[in-house]
Amino acid sequence: MGLQAVDIQTRITRALLENLPADAKITRIEFEGPYLVLYTENIKAVTGEEGLAAKIAKAARRKVIIRPAESIRLPVEKAREFLIKNIPPDVGLHEIYFDELKGEVHIYALKLGQLIGRGGMNLWMLMNEIRWKIVPHRAPVM
């Protein structure tokens, strides 16, 4: 890493530490290309309920992704069971894929509107229970 990259990382880290709220519980900071990725133990930061990503992006002048830390996530099998049990059958669930490196669950369904819910309430409820970031996808109709 060149000297300029180290300076940028130092500036961004300093901006983060100055602007993060005390309850953010950031456990790890990584750079993935143009994105600044923060791992947190505060699930409300992941669901976007607190508007933390926008505050950090403005302070760091970088695109920000907030992911749940490994320590707070439910094990894959328990999370899968919970999702299967709590996603309504009329959603047309096709597949649930867990990306353990990113802490994301990719859910493929026919009816995304019912999966997401009004104002994202269904996704927030599911994320608060399993503590994984949910990425909904429309399943191909075949």
Side-chain angles (χ1 to χ4, degrees), residues 73-84 87 95-108 126 130-135:
R73 292 183 247 166
L74 274 183
V76 172
E77 287 308 315
K78 287 184 180 180
R80 183 183 306 277
E81 288 173 20
F82 180 84
L83 289 171
I84 291 172
I87 293 176
E95 183 182 356
I96 299 173
Y97 169 73
F98 286 83
D99 185 347
E100 295 186 49
L101 290 176
K102 293 183 177 181
E104 296 176 343
V105 179
H106 296 266
I107 300 177
Y108 294 85
L126 292 171
I130 66 171
R131 297 182 296 277
W132 287 72
K133 185 172 186 175
I134 296 177
V135 181

Side-chain angles (χ1 to χ4, degrees), residues 32-111:
E32 289 183 6
Y35 299 103
L36 178 65
V37 181
L38 306 173
Y39 291 86
T40 180
E41 291 181 346
N42 181 357
I43 193 64
K44 290 187 180 191
V46 177
T47 58
E49 293 177 39
E50 296 182 343
L52 185 60
K55 292 176 191 172
I56 294 171
K58 186 175 181 179
R61 289 186 270 160
R62 286 275 187 263
K63 295 177 183 176
V64 175
I65 299 172
I66 300 179
R67 295 183 180 148
E70 285 183 49
S71 60
I72 66 165
R73 292 183 247 166
L74 274 183
V76 172
E77 287 308 315
K78 287 184 180 180
R80 183 183 306 277
E81 288 173 20
F82 180 84
L83 289 171
I84 291 172
K85 190 168 77 173
N86 290 291
I87 293 176
D90 57 332
V91 165
L93 184 64
H94 272 249
E95 183 182 356
I96 299 173
Y97 169 73
F98 286 83
D99 185 347
E100 295 186 49
L101 290 176
K102 293 183 177 181
E104 296 176 343
V105 179
H106 296 266
I107 300 177
Y108 294 85
L110 289 175
K111 298 180 181 177

